[in-house]
Amino acid sequence: MDTFVSTEDLRTFDVDFHTSPVNRIAMNAVISNGINATAKNYDAIRRDTHTYSISLPQGKVTNQKQSGRCWMFAALNCMRFQVMKKLNLEDFELSQNYTFFYDKLEKANYFLESILKTLDMPTDSRLIAHLLTAPVQDGGQWDMIANIVNKYGVVPKSAMPETKSSSSSREMCGYLTEKLRGFACLIRTAHENGATIDELRIKKEEMMTTIYRMLCISLGEPPKTFDFEYTDKDKNFHRDSDLTPKAFYEKYVDINLSDYISLINAPTKTKPFYRSYTVAFLGNVIEGQPVKYVNLPSAELKKAAIAQLKDGEPVWFGCDVGKHSGRDEGIMDLDIFNVEDLFSTKFAMDKGERLDYGQSLMTHAMVFQGVDLDEDGDPIRWRVENSWGDEHGDKGFYLMTDAWFDEYNYQVVVNKKYLPEDALKAFESEPIVLEPWDPMGSLA
């Protein structure tokens, strides 16, 4: 074939298309119904039953609505599980708006500090362009929610309910982003005009005061103290008065977040297994723990997750939820759509190649609340608590096949006591620093 598409090439393509009458049938079906609806495999749907040999009890499925807070919802859903178990509750939610407020505040500060660190870099450099892309994006990582909780605690949802801007965050994020880009411009221009770093930090404090005001107006003012009132399953009423958010966390959640480690499965040539990694310029709380992972084979992620589930504790994880996923059915299964048969072509990249070539990355965080094991103790399917409301799947709970886990699940967070010595040693080693735009920084 020449460098351009010729008339002869078009005739060849046309002849090939009309070689099989199935192509025209497929075309008519897709034009009317869409690709996935036409290719849907009902055998896979019938096979994927929401039954599990290990299934943890949980309250009603939460709903992040029009916001990118999946990582935060998933972490708080793990934490609320502990509160419900401890207090004998039928249902309970922690305030996602409360942690959202402080994450935005800390991200604004982190962004301005990043601008101060890069004052002498050209504005059109890739790093500055990356920093300016989304200064206070909704996304985040496990270590980032751990930083917020360790610094600010948590509160029940009743103490700081959702607002329009927390449930639908685009407007607020747009104005915060515009303001922060403007602040970056002011800081860099002042530096070019000879301002000292001390003078720039005075300007930064004024800027952060503005950000705090915008957040209070958008999300409400976070409570400093509150009363915790609840009725347990036995219809007994309880009240705990004048709690601070940190006191509430220590008393009712009581998880040592430093005991939990992020395991990733990124099988690329540039990321050897049994090494630790971090991502440059990815974080929120300046003085908090950095985002850090240890890269392991997929089988090791499964072993650790199963061990934690067997001990009665849910597992936070990050995946590429949109791939081979039926939202209405709540099923993640490599066979749910027969797209290869529909188009008469193979999609042949493996997991590492998909990461390297931009075809896949972490897009969503959820919680494993169960797993179905065969007679040998190997996983068949995973029970997934999502945060998209209860209209899809099994009242909002999804199913992930084990084969899907291998191809599109990238991260689990588990207590370090479930890890073998070689994985712990790898995690504790000095991390390799990945570029800010690396796929392993994508959930944020």
Side-chain angles (χ1 to χ4, degrees):
M1 182 176 172
D2 291 329
T3 56
F4 60 92
V5 178
S6 67
T7 302
E8 186 59 35
D9 291 329
L10 291 173
R11 290 195 192 98
T12 301
F13 301 157
D14 189 60
V15 168
D16 178 77
F17 179 76
H18 287 93
T19 298
S20 172
V22 172
N23 290 332
R24 180 166 290 278
I25 295 171
M27 178 182 71
N28 291 335
V30 170
I31 286 171
S32 300
N33 302 292
I35 295 171
N36 285 347
T38 301
K40 189 171 290 186
N41 180 4
Y42 287 96
D43 288 337
I45 294 170
R46 285 190 289 267
R47 180 184 67 224
D48 293 332
T49 58
H50 290 268
T51 55
Y52 309 88
S53 55
I54 298 172
S55 184
L56 306 184
Q58 178 64 303
K60 295 178 181 177
V61 166
T62 56
N63 195 340
Q64 68 189 75
K65 297 187 179 178
Q66 287 76 49
S67 72
R69 296 174 291 166
C70 59
W71 60 290
M72 187 177 289
F73 269 70
L76 294 177
N77 284 339
C78 290
M79 295 175 197
R80 73 162 174 156
F81 181 88
Q82 304 300 330
V83 178
M84 290 172 60
K85 183 169 63 174
K86 184 177 294 187
L87 301 182
N88 190 33
L89 300 178
E90 191 74 39
D91 195 24
F92 176 74
E93 277 190 59
L94 292 164
S95 172
Q96 303 92 358
N97 188 24
Y98 177 81
T99 48
F100 195 45
F101 181 101
Y102 284 115
D103 178 63
K104 291 296 186 194
L105 184 71
E106 292 287 350
K107 278 177 179 167
N109 183 65
Y110 193 96
F111 168 76
L112 294 175
E113 284 297 312
S114 297
I115 294 299
L116 289 170
K117 287 179 182 177
T118 56
L119 289 171
D120 295 320
M121 296 191 70
T123 306
D124 61 356
S125 69
R126 185 173 184 181
L127 177 57
I128 299 301
H130 174 82
L131 294 177
L132 293 172
T133 298
V136 284
Q137 78 282 5
D138 281 1
Q141 261 293 339
W142 170 264
D143 291 301
M144 295 163 71
I145 188 62
N147 288 336
I148 295 298
V149 172
N150 283 332
K151 185 169 182 177
Y152 297 103
V154 294
V155 303
K157 191 168 186 175
S158 57
M160 191 170 178
E162 289 286 283
T163 70
K164 182 68 174 179
S165 292
S166 64
S167 295
S168 183
S169 59
R170 186 166 62 175
E171 282 184 359
M172 178 187 70
C173 289
Y175 288 115
L176 288 171
T177 295
E178 182 176 358
K179 200 66 192 170
L180 287 167
R181 286 172 178 161
F183 286 158
C185 178
L186 289 172
I187 288 173
R188 289 172 64 85
T189 301
H191 171 68
E192 291 171 3
N193 292 333
T196 66
I197 191 66
D198 290 338
E199 291 170 335
L200 294 178
R201 289 200 175 279
I202 292 172
K203 288 181 180 294
K204 193 196 89 166
E205 184 174 354
E206 297 170 355
M207 294 169 179
M208 287 299 298
T209 300
T210 298
I211 297 298
Y212 186 88
R213 180 172 65 250
M214 292 174 70
L215 288 171
C216 285
I217 291 169
S218 301
L219 301 176
E221 191 174 357
K224 297 176 177 60
T225 61
F226 59 93
D227 295 341
F228 179 39
E229 299 176 337
Y230 64 94
T231 301
D232 62 27
K233 290 180 183 178
D234 299 323
K235 308 304 180 185
N236 297 314
F237 177 79
H238 304 264
R239 179 186 290 118
D240 197 349
S241 300
D242 203 30
L243 286 165
T244 66
K246 292 194 72 172
F248 176 86
Y249 181 83
E250 292 164 3
K251 185 172 183 178
Y252 292 106
V253 182
D254 192 29
I255 299 174
N256 184 359
L257 295 175
S258 64
D259 286 339
Y260 290 79
I261 289 175
S262 285
L263 317 181
I264 58 169
N265 176 239
T268 63
K269 294 178 182 178
T270 58
K271 296 184 182 70
F273 288 145
Y274 295 96
R275 296 292 300 272
S276 65
Y277 298 86
T278 189
V279 181
F281 291 95
L282 176 60
N284 54 359
V285 179
I286 288 289
E287 72 276 21
Q289 65 192 46
V291 171
K292 189 177 181 183
Y293 318 115
V294 59
N295 194 19
L296 299 174
S298 184
E300 295 299 323
L301 273 66
K302 295 178 188 179
K303 287 178 186 177
I306 290 169
Q308 187 160 304
L309 287 167
K310 283 182 174 180
D311 273 358
E313 186 175 350
V315 177
W316 187 103
F317 73 92
C319 68
D320 189 354
V321 71
K323 300 295 192 296
H324 303 278
S325 179
R327 181 161 182 162
D328 288 340
E329 299 82 8
I331 292 174
M332 293 169 278
D333 185 328
L334 299 180
D335 298 325
I336 195 169
F337 301 118
N338 287 327
V339 178
E340 291 187 337
D341 290 344
L342 179 69
F343 289 122
S344 299
T345 189
K346 296 292 184 184
F347 296 89
M349 283 192 290
D350 63 28
K351 190 174 188 178
E353 290 167 341
R354 288 192 293 268
L355 285 171
D356 283 340
Y357 285 85
Q359 177 52 30
S360 185
L361 73 173
M362 283 189 283
T363 59
H364 192 49
M366 296 180 282
V367 179
F368 287 131
Q369 289 285 2
V371 62
D372 189 40
L373 303 176
D374 64 16
E375 293 79 4
D376 298 321
D378 295 322
I380 301 168
R381 64 180 73 93
W382 299 78
R383 181 177 183 245
V384 174
E385 179 187 7
N386 203 350
S387 54
W388 291 346
D390 60 5
E391 295 181 359
H392 307 290
D394 181 19
K395 297 180 181 178
F397 284 88
Y398 280 43
L399 179 153
M400 177 194 296
T401 66
D402 192 59
W404 196 98
F405 185 118
D406 284 327
E407 295 299 324
Y408 292 105
N409 196 50
Y410 293 105
Q411 182 180 8
V412 300
V413 174
V414 296
N415 193 300
K416 60 186 178 184
K417 67 183 178 182
Y418 301 114
L419 295 181
E421 190 61 36
D422 54 353
L424 282 173
K425 185 177 180 182
F427 181 81
E428 292 163 0
S429 66
E430 186 67 23
I432 296 170
V433 181
L434 303 175
E435 296 288 1
W437 40 86
D438 189 274
M440 287 302 104
S442 61
L443 195 56

